[in-house]
Amino acid sequence: MYQSILVPVDGSSHAVKALQVAAQLAKGTSAILYLMTVAEFPPDNIGLFTGGVAEPYAEEEREKLAAGMKEEAHQAIDKARAAVELAGIEVKEVVRQGRPAELIVGVAEELGVDAIVMGSRGISDMRGMVFGSVSHRVSHTAGCTVITVT
């Protein structure tokens, strides 16, 4: 049925459920699961979020933040792997940095996957309610099958 499936994970319970579904789809086939996580870019100036002034980060501070965000992204993959039985399934990891919805669709195209299986909500539920969820944007822009798991 599916030869390759992209599973975006962010550390949320919905992402783990999506990986469980993807693993079931892949079991007994030769489908490859691509576990993907996105480390968003650090904000240009955190001062606005903390009630301070809009002081831009020094480059060194931005690099430290970016490294921390990438480490959190790798931890999200590790958490998902630990929660789901993946024995007998070929699993590859993809970590990117940027805007999640755009990168998920871009990586799906780049890898030529047959489907994206993702959680309906992620870590940033509140932000998703305000700005629109990543899963909503992916389902409307991806060129492949998108399975959204609640």
Side-chain angles (χ1 to χ4, degrees), residues 59-115:
E59 189 58 35
E60 183 178 314
E61 292 169 328
R62 283 184 59 77
E63 288 176 16
K64 282 184 187 177
L65 270 174
M69 291 174 137
K70 285 180 184 174
E71 178 57 33
E72 287 177 15
H74 283 287
Q75 289 172 1
I77 287 178
D78 293 342
K79 179 180 176 181
R81 276 182 172 266
V84 178
E85 177 58 48
L86 298 172
I89 300 170
E90 184 177 355
V91 179
K92 297 183 179 185
E93 296 180 5
V94 179
V95 176
R96 297 285 197 276
Q97 188 165 22
R99 295 186 174 137
E102 294 170 12
L103 286 171
I104 292 166
V105 171
V107 167
E109 290 173 4
E110 173 187 319
L111 297 173
V113 299
D114 302 309

Side-chain angles (χ1 to χ4, degrees), residues 24-77:
Q24 288 299 316
L25 291 171
K27 283 193 190 237
T29 70
S30 59
I32 299 169
L33 288 185
Y34 291 96
L35 296 185
M36 178 182 182
T37 191
V38 177
E40 294 189 55
F41 289 122
D44 288 328
N45 37 45
I46 194 82
L48 294 176
F49 298 109
T50 59
V53 295
E55 291 295 323
Y57 280 118
E59 189 58 35
E60 183 178 314
E61 292 169 328
R62 283 184 59 77
E63 288 176 16
K64 282 184 187 177
L65 270 174
M69 291 174 137
K70 285 180 184 174
E71 178 57 33
E72 287 177 15
H74 283 287
Q75 289 172 1
I77 287 178

Side-chain angles (χ1 to χ4, degrees), residues 105-126:
V105 171
V107 167
E109 290 173 4
E110 173 187 319
L111 297 173
V113 299
D114 302 309
I116 300 169
V117 179
M118 62 189 304
S120 61
R121 297 194 191 280
I123 290 287
S124 58
D125 281 345
M126 181 59 74

